Amino acid sequence: MATAFSATLPLHGSQENRLLLPPTRLAPPPPSSSFLGSTRSLPIRSLNHAHASRRSPVFAVQEVVKDKKKPTNSLLITKEEGLVLYEDMILGRSFEDMCAQMYYRGKMFGFVHLYNGQEAVSTGFIKLLTQSDSVVSTYRDHVHALSKGVSARAVMSELFGKVTGCCRGQGGSMHMFSKEHNVLGGFAFIGEGIPVATGAAFTSKYKREVLKQDCEDVTVAFFGDGTCNNGQFYECLNMAALYKLPIIFVVENNLWAIGMSHLRSTSDPEIWKKGPAFGMPGVHVDGMDVLKVREVAKEAVGRARRGEGPTLVECETYRFRGHSLADPDELRDAAEKAKYAARDPITALKKYLVENKLANEGELKSIEKKIDELVEEAVEFADASPQPGRSQLLENVFADPKGFGIGPDGRYRCEDPKFTEGTAQV
Amino acid sequence: MAARIHGGAGAGAATALSTFNPKKLVAPPSRTNLPARNSKRYIVSAAAGSDGSKKSLLRVRHSQKLIANAAVATKAEESSAPTGTGHELLLFEALQEGLEEEMDRDPHVCVMGEDVGHYGGSYKVTKGLADKFGDLRVLDTPICENAFTGMGIGAAMTGLRPVIEGMNMGFLLLAFNQISNNCGMLHYTSGGQFTIPVVIRGPGGVGRQLGAEHSQRLESYFQSIPGIQMVACSTPYNAKGLMKAAIRSENPVILFEHVLLYNLKEKIPDEEYICNLEEAEMVRPGEHITILTYSRMRYHVMQAAKTLVNKGYDPEVIDIRSLKPFDLHTIGNSVKKTHRVLIVEECMRTGGIGASLTAAINENFHDYLDAPVMCLSSQDVPTPYAGTLEEWTVVQPAQIVTAVEQLCQ
């Protein structure tokens, strides 16, 4: 299956090395990356080379990349960039590992969904964005918030349900929001955030075309493979392409929606193909390789900033842990997990940095140590923070608290002194 | 001054408002901090409502209240001192006027919905707006309620003030996910960081043989959603006023219009005014019984009121207007005066606005009641197509008269 973009130096060396087990399919796998996930056989038609040769009508991106002639020994990143990427991925990984520890120690409750293994997608995209660009995520949102710039302290406190959390303890694991960093959530129901992201992109376009402001803000919407069978996804692909909105739809295809394999739930599992059906480029990229993701992201974000419209990017990735901390994770093959563990994005980037002499072990170790301390400090901060008081109960229900109405005594309920105590009758 | 119905509203559905007897006009209940009323009209200053501070909002509230009451009082005075200003228009034109004024005032206000642009809106509420403001500000969306409602919410979070139209309120059932989870809750779950100043509006209610799915009353379903406000307009005056107030509000507001009321005609002031979102409207003061109603049922009630007055009864009719939250002050003062309550609504018997209102009145004003609260609602029946059957599912004036006679025994 063709990819519309191609990075020149894959992190993982030759493609063949990634195959630990021969796939039990009738046709030989194409040389460029295909679904190396489940060893269960795919239906023949999805591997048909005829599909690969049937191009999408949108070529802009492909042509641009084809024309680039990179010398074979040029690197994709500078040292500074490499260290930023490394630090961000280490932060994501350490934070999530700490979340697991804290959950089992009873510091946080409810549904907690960890991002281990998918760091390359978050880092690859979000580190290219500015503060005024928006990010919309799902319930697996801790690392998106961290990559966007929300402090580890704020996220950890939110998870502990403390007042100092980014949402004052009112959102929780699945609802990370930050106005300052333009993280527009954090949504519990899948697909729910995609229209919101479309709206944020609409605002960018509106600012440019109606308000005549200089606005190059783009929106990146992250969601999973399961979401790609949901109506909201398709409705938004249509509107985004129709209105040429500055949005990038990023599918984090980790092949599993809790216990439902992507292959069992999707008639055509190649999600990137659904982009051209709506008139936008569809790209498939190796989501375990942060540099490849970054190259694709640069192109997609560039397209959006230039006003050329949306892009659908499918990142083949994997979550090392279960769907949530409550998931026993019994359905996935140990062999599949091992295969992806060998493609750990952090290990791969480390190897790349060291081999290409961009950083040495010592520098990387000091980054790891720094992050460990940061995460520890975040936990201490969260532990020490107070829990929300009763007074917070009614405060943010309405932006204008007159919305609680007029009480029998003629005063607005929000004027009742008990309102700020959180004990008013509303 | 009577509001007359023209055109498509049809006969038998709604009739003229009863004219006021100025001698019977009771001063609306005074509120704390309220300066002395007089019946001059007040003009809303441009700064009102746009300033986020609470203090100025409260000031605005007073002036808004004064305007609302002044207009009511003015109607009474017209029989003795005609004002000569004001212009007559139909309800849908009043909505359009309100919307256009707000779009002129604030470039962040935009409209999105099906056929709102080039078609001018299926009930002509957005007629001419696309020509004036362009295709992006008056956005014709594809048929994807869930997605475009969510898009409006995302736009609101990032600085715009969308007015989202459901071509029929029933279609918003498809947007329930976005309305409940995102519209109502995001302000809270984000810890107050994001506001969602959207207005979701559209026609609902039982029409003229439109069939079950086009005759739904979504206010029943939405009323439990925390974080939203719901208002229902019933006259050109309050339609324009509520539209403007809803757009200016920082809260998400759902504005319920009614399919059969779009062609009501009334004279409204030339000056700018808004109606308070949280207040009820005193339609006809009285002594014997409080009749609470909203939207189209207001006209059935007023028709019944004519019969009741001839029979010697003196009903007090209040259009509650604010479906969520209820204006318990106006309602409570009325209950304390008359001691009998009849609720007339178009929602289904089960779980409608009337059911909630009955509970609220019983809870708050139990001691003042001389009789149980009676609630006349539509039958728990999918609205039939046949005209006769449809008529029987909805509350008719004769039933209202019977209910009042029963309660006033």
Side-chain angles (χ1 to χ4, degrees):
Chain A
M1 152 188 56
T3 59
F5 301 94
S6 58
T8 46
L9 287 180
L11 277 181
H12 293 280
S14 74
Q15 307 291 343
E16 283 69 24
N17 290 349
R18 288 190 282 171
L19 281 169
L20 293 185
L21 290 170
T24 56
R25 293 184 286 257
L26 293 181
S32 56
S33 105
S34 63
F35 281 89
L36 298 173
S38 169
T39 53
R40 287 178 247 263
S41 52
L42 291 169
I44 293 297
R45 57 188 167 83
S46 65
L47 291 181
N48 194 332
H49 285 268
H51 281 232
S53 57
R54 186 181 46 112
R55 300 295 191 189
S56 86
V58 184
F59 286 111
V61 175
Q62 233 172 335
E63 308 296 88
V64 169
V65 175
K66 260 195 216 153
D67 288 338
K68 276 190 195 160
K69 284 189 169 61
K70 283 207 173 74
T72 44
N73 59 354
S74 81
L75 295 175
L76 291 170
I77 45 170
T78 64
K79 175 179 181 152
E80 290 74 31
E81 287 168 348
L83 293 180
V84 163
L85 298 180
Y86 190 74
E87 185 171 328
D88 194 53
M89 291 207 285
I90 289 284
L91 173 60
R93 183 68 62 87
S94 307
F95 190 92
E96 297 292 72
D97 284 338
M98 184 60 82
C99 279
Q101 269 192 55
M102 292 297 114
Y103 189 85
Y104 294 127
R105 279 199 216 160
K107 298 286 183 79
M108 58 178 88
F109 300 93
F111 294 126
V112 179
H113 309 83
L114 299 181
Y115 201 71
N116 297 48
Q118 301 182 195
E119 294 87 358
V121 182
S122 178
T123 302
F125 270 94
I126 300 181
K127 283 306 167 194
L128 289 173
L129 301 179
T130 65
Q131 182 152 0
S132 57
D133 291 324
S134 298
V135 162
V136 173
S137 178
T138 59
Y139 43 72
R140 206 179 296 283
D141 56 351
H142 307 167
V143 178
H144 295 131
L146 291 170
S147 290
K148 193 63 171 61
V150 183
S151 70
R153 282 179 159 197
V155 181
M156 192 59 85
S157 299
E158 184 62 31
L159 291 168
F160 282 29
K162 301 294 179 80
V163 133
T164 46
C166 54
C167 301
R168 308 176 82 200
Q170 289 165 193
S173 166
M174 299 184 282
H175 303 282
M176 293 292 168
F177 287 84
S178 167
K179 182 123 181 124
E180 188 192 339
H181 298 280
N182 286 299
V183 177
L184 267 53
F187 292 92
F189 290 15
I190 60 157
E192 223 174 25
I194 307 178
V196 172
T198 311
F202 180 81
T203 302
S204 294
K205 185 180 166 89
Y206 190 96
K207 281 183 181 168
R208 268 202 312 272
E209 296 183 17
V210 176
L211 302 177
K212 310 288 187 217
Q213 293 169 2
D214 268 321
C215 183
E216 282 195 341
D217 295 336
V218 304
T219 306
V220 183
F222 293 95
F223 48 92
D225 43 287
T227 308
C228 296
N229 293 325
N230 190 282
Q232 287 169 105
F233 170 59
Y234 297 106
E235 291 177 9
C236 289
L237 285 183
N238 179 43
M239 284 205 290
L242 183 67
Y243 303 134
K244 271 191 148 180
L245 299 179
I247 183 171
I248 302 108
F249 296 101
V250 181
V251 185
E252 295 171 321
N253 184 351
N254 57 22
L255 302 171
W256 291 88
I258 308 186
M260 189 63 168
S261 155
H262 178 57
L263 303 171
R264 284 183 72 215
S265 67
T266 316
S267 56
D268 186 345
E270 293 178 89
I271 302 169
W272 63 275
K273 284 155 94 179
K274 303 183 188 191
F278 288 91
M280 70 178 83
V283 189
H284 178 270
V285 68
D286 176 3
M288 304 305 274
D289 181 335
V290 68
L291 298 181
K292 282 191 188 153
V293 172
R294 196 177 144 87
E295 286 305 299
V296 166
K298 272 191 205 165
E299 201 54 60
V301 170
R303 249 180 72 80
R305 285 207 210 282
R306 290 188 300 268
E308 291 167 23
T311 314
L312 175 66
V313 181
E314 180 186 357
C315 302
E316 182 196 338
T317 181
Y318 203 76
R319 51 170 165 82
F320 295 158
R321 290 181 182 266
H323 164 74
S324 71
L325 288 173
D327 174 18
D329 195 14
E330 290 161 347
L331 282 178
R332 305 193 296 176
D333 265 342
E336 180 186 89
K337 294 187 205 178
K339 182 168 59 188
Y340 279 97
R343 290 167 59 186
D344 187 330
I346 294 178
T347 324
L349 181 64
K350 186 170 190 171
K351 185 157 170 269
Y352 182 90
L353 291 172
V354 168
E355 280 180 0
N356 289 289
K357 309 261 190 300
L358 289 171
N360 59 43
E361 292 271 358
E363 284 168 321
L364 300 180
K365 273 262 177 300
S366 73
I367 290 179
E368 287 161 31
K369 185 162 178 296
K370 173 176 142 196
I371 293 297
D372 274 339
E373 283 168 12
L374 184 87
V375 173
E376 290 273 356
E377 196 271 325
V379 171
E380 278 163 20
F381 175 80
D383 257 336
S385 296
Q387 295 198 320
R390 184 86 197 240
S391 58
Q392 207 178 300
L393 181 66
L394 303 169
E395 261 176 349
N396 300 126
V397 179
F398 289 104
D400 177 0
K402 289 195 322 199
F404 278 119
I406 301 165
D409 59 1
R411 287 184 305 170
Y412 274 94
R413 293 192 199 273
C414 58
E415 290 166 10
D416 180 345
K418 290 217 205 108
F419 184 84
T420 41
E421 291 167 31
T423 52
Q425 171 74 37
V426 286
Chain B
M1 174 202 60
R4 275 162 264 111
I5 310 144
H6 287 248
T15 54
L17 293 169
S18 63
T19 48
F20 281 179
N21 181 343
K23 294 194 196 70
K24 279 221 154 176
L25 183 67
V26 173
S30 61
R31 301 235 171 97
T32 54
N33 306 325
L34 193 64
R37 269 184 67 259
N38 60 45
S39 54
K40 284 206 209 87
R41 282 206 192 96
Y42 287 80
I43 297 171
V44 179
S45 65
S50 52
D51 182 345
S53 74
K54 194 172 172 196
K55 196 165 162 220
S56 69
L57 281 171
L58 290 172
R59 252 189 288 124
V60 164
R61 189 241 303 175
H62 299 315
S63 60
Q64 289 169 20
K65 182 193 181 322
L66 289 163
I67 289 201
N69 289 326
V72 169
T74 311
K75 281 187 200 159
E77 283 172 23
E78 263 174 29
S79 53
S80 48
T83 51
T85 54
H87 54 288
E88 231 182 24
L89 43 51
L90 306 180
L91 196 145
F92 76 87
E93 290 169 340
L95 287 166
Q96 185 201 23
E97 209 174 80
L99 184 49
E100 193 173 343
E101 282 175 19
E102 290 305 299
M103 289 180 81
D104 277 327
R105 180 178 175 267
D106 183 354
H108 294 89
V109 179
C110 57
V111 181
M112 28 182 102
E114 294 158 9
D115 273 329
V116 295
H118 295 187
Y119 196 76
S122 50
Y123 291 93
K124 295 178 280 188
V125 173
T126 51
K127 189 163 182 214
L129 295 183
D131 288 330
K132 181 172 175 185
F133 295 110
D135 279 350
L136 200 59
R137 267 192 96 179
V138 185
L139 188 75
D140 275 323
T141 61
I143 305 174
C144 50
E145 277 77 8
N146 203 11
F148 72 69
T149 305
M151 186 167 91
I153 291 167
M157 286 167 76
T158 43
L160 300 187
R161 303 185 81 91
V163 176
I164 302 168
E165 172 172 310
M167 192 187 267
N168 183 287
M169 280 311 230
F171 301 170
L172 293 181
L173 286 172
L174 289 140
F176 212 116
N177 181 4
Q178 292 293 334
I179 295 174
S180 172
N181 285 339
N182 290 347
C183 189
M185 299 198 203
L186 275 188
H187 185 70
Y188 195 77
T189 43
S190 67
Q193 291 181 84
F194 290 98
T195 57
I196 327 267
V198 293
V199 177
I200 297 176
R201 50 157 292 271
V206 177
R208 188 70 49 216
Q209 295 189 252
L210 299 179
E213 291 177 22
H214 281 87
S215 311
Q216 299 189 68
R217 283 125 281 169
L218 275 272
E219 55 268 26
S220 315
Y221 309 150
F222 289 146
Q223 62 178 321
S224 284
I225 300 173
I228 56 157
Q229 282 185 250
M230 306 200 302
V231 288
C233 62
S234 50
T235 65
Y237 179 83
N238 63 34
K240 179 177 175 185
L242 289 173
M243 170 74 93
K244 288 168 73 87
I247 292 173
R248 292 188 194 186
S249 172
E250 293 302 311
N251 298 334
V253 179
I254 305 186
L255 170 57
F256 290 90
E257 302 153 13
H258 196 286
V259 277
L260 294 180
L261 299 184
Y262 279 125
N263 289 324
L264 282 180
K265 193 184 255 200
E266 189 183 1
K267 199 179 207 186
I268 64 170
D270 287 328
E271 306 90 31
E272 196 182 25
Y273 70 92
I274 53 182
C275 292
N276 197 321
L277 288 175
E278 295 89 26
E279 278 181 23
E281 187 179 314
M282 177 68 69
V283 182
R284 181 192 188 284
E287 299 287 328
H288 292 163
I289 181 171
T290 299
I291 306 182
L292 302 172
T293 182
Y294 67 94
S295 193
R296 179 205 174 193
M297 285 297 120
R298 168 181 172 145
Y299 297 94
H300 280 206
V301 167
M302 292 313 289
Q303 190 177 355
K306 280 209 289 206
T307 315
L308 287 167
V309 163
N310 289 339
K311 291 192 175 189
Y313 294 95
D314 185 21
E316 176 154 293
V317 179
I318 295 176
D319 183 339
I320 60 172
R321 252 173 32 188
S322 176
L323 307 182
K324 181 182 164 124
F326 295 132
D327 177 1
L328 288 182
H329 183 69
T330 309
I331 293 170
N333 284 345
S334 180
V335 175
K336 288 174 191 172
K337 186 169 60 162
T338 66
H339 311 296
R340 283 162 224 276
V341 181
L342 173 67
I343 301 170
V344 181
E345 58 155 0
E346 208 176 321
C347 284
M348 310 266 193
R349 180 119 211 91
T350 306
I353 297 292
S356 302
L357 191 49
T358 307
I361 293 172
N362 279 325
E363 212 173 78
N364 286 288
F365 308 116
H366 183 258
D367 285 337
Y368 298 96
L369 291 169
D370 282 348
V373 174
M374 196 187 276
C375 180
L376 296 179
S377 329
S378 298
Q379 305 275 343
D380 275 341
V381 162
T383 312
Y385 164 74
T388 43
L389 291 176
E390 184 185 70
E391 212 178 288
W392 292 324
T393 58
V394 176
V395 177
Q396 298 297 339
Q399 291 166 269
I400 302 171
V401 171
T402 315
V404 170
E405 288 174 335
Q406 206 179 329
L407 272 176
C408 286
Q409 270 162 6

